[in-house]
Amino acid sequence: ILATVIVSLISLAGVVFLLNKKALTSAYGGFMVSMAAGVMLATALLDLLPEAIEGYEGKEIYWALLGGVCFFFITERLIHWY
């Protein structure tokens, strides 16, 4: 509980700092949101991957993971291309 409180206070200090710096927020706001979303997705993936590996005996899970990453990469590129 103590670690959660400490991390929350650090995050709150960062928010207060960024709210006072409008130029910094407008310049790097999109990057910070993208970074936060990527970190949350990576954390979720790395948390669920060991459980998925335990559920399958073979290497199917690795192919499914690779296929999913490639699918979303190509989809993102196509969306930004058009």
Side-chain angles (χ1 to χ4, degrees):
I1 295 177
L2 180 63
T4 304
V5 171
I6 291 171
V7 169
S8 297
L9 289 175
I10 291 171
S11 298
L12 183 63
V15 167
V16 170
F17 173 74
L18 288 176
L19 287 177
N20 289 334
K21 306 287 185 179
K22 293 291 184 184
L24 184 66
T25 305
S26 64
Y28 296 108
F31 173 75
M32 289 187 284
V33 169
S34 299
M35 182 71 174
V39 167
M40 287 191 293
L41 287 172
T43 303
L45 175 71
L46 293 176
D47 184 46
L48 294 175
L49 191 60
E51 294 177 20
I53 291 171
E54 287 178 5
Y56 289 97
E57 296 295 326
K59 297 183 187 279
E60 296 93 10
I61 194 67
Y62 296 112
W63 287 111
L65 176 66
L66 180 64
V69 169
C70 289
F71 172 75
F72 282 110
F73 179 77
I74 291 169
T75 303
E76 179 186 7
R77 290 295 175 182
L78 287 174
I79 288 172
H80 286 295
W81 190 31
Y82 287 112

